[in-house]
Amino acid sequence: MKKLVFGLMSLLLLSASVFAQSDLQPLAVVKLNKNESITVKQLKSRCEIYQKQMGRTLTLDEKKSVLDTLIEEKLVIQAAQKAGLSIPDSVVDQYFIQSMSQSLGTQVTEKQLSDLVQKTYNMTLDAYLQKQLGMNIAEYKSYLKNQLMMQQYVVQQRQTELQKIAPTDEEIRMAYESSKSSFVWNDMLKVFLVVVPKGSDENAAKIKINDLLKKYKDKKLTSTQIALQSETENSGYQAGELIVPKNEASANGLGMTLQNLLYLFTQNVGFCSEIQETDADYRFISIINKYDAKMLGISDIVQPDTTVTVYEYIRSSLAQQKQQIYMQQAAVEISKQLNVPENVERKKTGDALDKLLNWGE
């Protein structure tokens, strides 16, 4: 009996070893700048990401397309490295947190993101990204770094063409007419907000907010002066002007109820609140200006106290769209030009390749 169990165990170990060796087999070697292998394991990892997004298993032809994508990505990255381009980790970290913040609709730090994911989903950020994207934090940042590197190289190679891309006047006006209803102002307030965190000395914070409010009401300090002083080291408070639309999200951002925000909208310009206390701070708010809801014409400014018109906003947006489309096309063209036998050695082709790619089928 012991011999039988030992035999089965040996067979299982041998099977696992065969699969491991299969995963490590190189499918291609990219050698434009240095020799880099693309293994079965790397291809499987990328295919799993696409399968998770698509909700189905990839076909044999689709796996071959993914392999071509991996080859061409490495070619462009090696070309970028050969050209002396690099992306600092700090830039990758910033891009990562910006993309995460954009998806959440609010600016967060990586720690805040980790805490939010833990609280909301009861899992680490690593585990959350693995579940959503098939990559942990380090793998996802590595992926982003490669994407940024390729983008930088394409921009370098096609900079002259990119600078020439611009929407026509007709395209801008057509875009405005087709989406005119989206160019509106809601009722808005321009407010001056002063916040003094309680910190470790709640009494000192209360004295400071009272002093600031008195000086502001007595016109001994203007909103500009208070805001400038808040930027000095160890000022102990924050202050600044904000444009506030009439909605619940704005109320939440100001740390007040929607009812209290609606009350502010009933007040006149120049109104200044009394000191309000929250769990974390003391604050007061003053109304600087009011803006009524209206439809925007093509020559109107997009937001109060700015100089950007609807026309200029649309022109910038269309230019970015056109450049993005061109960048995608240029990336394909450049990668295809690099994908030649002297730069890529295909280790597996034909039936041998098909056999290695038949996992999960």
Side-chain angles (χ1 to χ4, degrees), residues 103-291:
S103 66
L104 290 171
T106 183
Q107 189 65 39
V108 293
T109 63
E110 190 164 328
K111 184 181 184 307
Q112 289 170 333
L113 177 63
S114 296
D115 293 343
L116 180 62
V117 168
Q118 185 68 52
K119 183 179 179 181
T120 306
Y121 302 102
N122 194 30
M123 61 174 67
T124 65
L125 181 57
D126 235 14
Y128 176 77
L129 289 177
Q130 188 71 51
K131 182 179 178 181
Q132 297 296 318
L133 303 174
M135 294 178 275
N136 60 31
I137 297 173
E139 290 167 340
Y140 185 48
K141 285 186 177 181
S142 176
Y143 171 78
L144 290 177
K145 187 170 189 172
N146 288 339
Q147 297 301 308
L148 289 169
M149 178 81 82
M150 291 188 289
Q151 185 182 73
Q152 190 179 66
Y153 182 70
V154 173
V155 169
Q156 183 197 66
Q157 296 299 302
R158 301 292 180 89
Q159 192 168 14
T160 302
E161 293 85 344
L162 276 168
Q163 290 173 346
K164 294 177 181 177
I165 295 173
T168 64
D169 178 74
E170 182 181 7
E171 287 173 328
I172 295 169
R173 294 185 182 280
M174 284 179 62
Y176 171 73
E177 291 298 330
S178 66
S179 56
K180 185 187 293 187
S181 61
S182 66
F183 290 102
V184 296
W185 275 4
N186 294 321
D187 289 330
M188 290 181 285
L189 293 177
K190 181 179 181 181
V191 302
F192 175 58
L193 177 66
V194 180
V195 178
V196 180
K198 291 179 178 177
S200 59
D201 192 341
E202 188 173 332
N203 188 54
K206 195 169 186 177
I207 293 172
K208 182 177 287 290
I209 193 71
N210 275 288
D211 180 58
L212 289 169
L213 178 59
K214 186 175 188 308
K215 288 177 178 176
Y216 180 68
K217 281 187 171 181
D218 293 345
K219 296 184 171 29
K220 291 181 179 179
L221 286 176
T222 65
S223 59
T224 301
Q225 289 171 324
I226 292 174
L228 283 173
Q229 289 179 16
S230 73
E231 296 174 6
T232 61
E233 190 175 356
N234 300 320
S235 70
Y237 71 97
Q238 298 96 43
E241 295 180 351
L242 305 167
I243 299 294
V244 182
K246 188 194 286 185
N247 55 45
E248 192 163 4
S250 296
N252 292 336
L254 289 171
M256 62 174 62
T257 65
L258 179 59
Q259 183 178 1
N260 286 341
L261 178 61
L262 294 178
Y263 169 76
L264 277 182
F265 274 88
T266 66
Q267 302 304 304
N268 296 323
V269 172
F271 167 82
C272 185
S273 76
E274 296 304 314
I275 294 169
Q276 306 295 317
E277 181 180 3
T278 72
D279 291 340
D281 57 57
Y282 295 103
R283 56 180 61 194
F284 69 84
I285 193 167
S286 174
I287 299 175
I288 306 297
N289 211 337
K290 298 178 74 171
Y291 307 93

Side-chain angles (χ1 to χ4, degrees), residues 30-123:
V30 177
K31 50 183 182 177
L32 185 150
N33 189 41
K34 59 183 177 181
N35 285 359
E36 282 189 284
S37 295
I38 296 173
T39 63
V40 174
K41 184 178 181 180
Q42 290 171 321
L43 178 61
K44 278 185 178 181
S45 296
R46 182 63 68 89
C47 286
E48 284 169 5
I49 293 169
Y50 293 146
Q51 286 173 168
K52 187 181 287 287
Q53 293 171 352
M54 298 168 70
R56 64 172 177 82
T57 302
L58 298 184
T59 65
L60 179 62
D61 285 341
E62 286 173 333
K63 290 174 183 176
K64 289 179 179 179
S65 294
V66 175
L67 175 59
D68 286 337
T69 298
L70 286 175
I71 290 171
E72 288 169 0
E73 283 181 4
K74 280 196 181 295
L75 282 167
V76 177
I77 291 167
Q78 284 197 14
Q81 292 168 339
K82 191 174 182 179
L85 301 178
S86 63
I87 304 292
D89 289 341
S90 59
V91 172
V92 179
D93 291 340
Q94 185 179 7
Y95 187 76
F96 168 75
I97 204 61
Q98 281 178 347
S99 62
M100 292 291 109
S101 296
Q102 193 171 25
S103 66
L104 290 171
T106 183
Q107 189 65 39
V108 293
T109 63
E110 190 164 328
K111 184 181 184 307
Q112 289 170 333
L113 177 63
S114 296
D115 293 343
L116 180 62
V117 168
Q118 185 68 52
K119 183 179 179 181
T120 306
Y121 302 102
N122 194 30
M123 61 174 67

Side-chain angles (χ1 to χ4, degrees), residues 15-28:
S15 175
S17 175
V18 168
F19 280 120
Q21 289 173 10
S22 173
D23 275 1
L24 294 176
Q25 285 194 59
L27 298 172

Side-chain angles (χ1 to χ4, degrees), residues 294-359:
K294 69 171 184 175
M295 296 285 295
L296 298 179
I298 197 167
S299 59
D300 286 332
I301 57 173
V302 175
Q303 186 171 319
D305 295 338
T306 67
T307 58
V308 178
T309 65
V310 171
Y311 183 93
E312 291 164 339
Y313 175 84
I314 295 174
R315 179 174 60 188
S316 176
S317 179
L318 287 179
Q320 289 179 6
Q321 291 175 27
K322 282 174 167 278
Q323 288 174 351
Q324 187 173 22
I325 292 170
Y326 177 81
M327 285 278 290
Q328 291 169 347
Q329 294 171 341
V332 172
E333 291 171 6
I334 290 171
S335 63
K336 296 296 183 189
Q337 291 167 2
L338 296 172
N339 194 357
V340 292
E342 55 263 38
N343 292 334
V344 181
E345 182 183 352
R346 303 270 181 167
K347 291 290 188 179
K348 300 292 179 181
T349 58
D351 292 341
L353 177 61
D354 292 352
K355 186 177 179 180
L356 283 172
L357 302 190
N358 70 359
W359 74 82

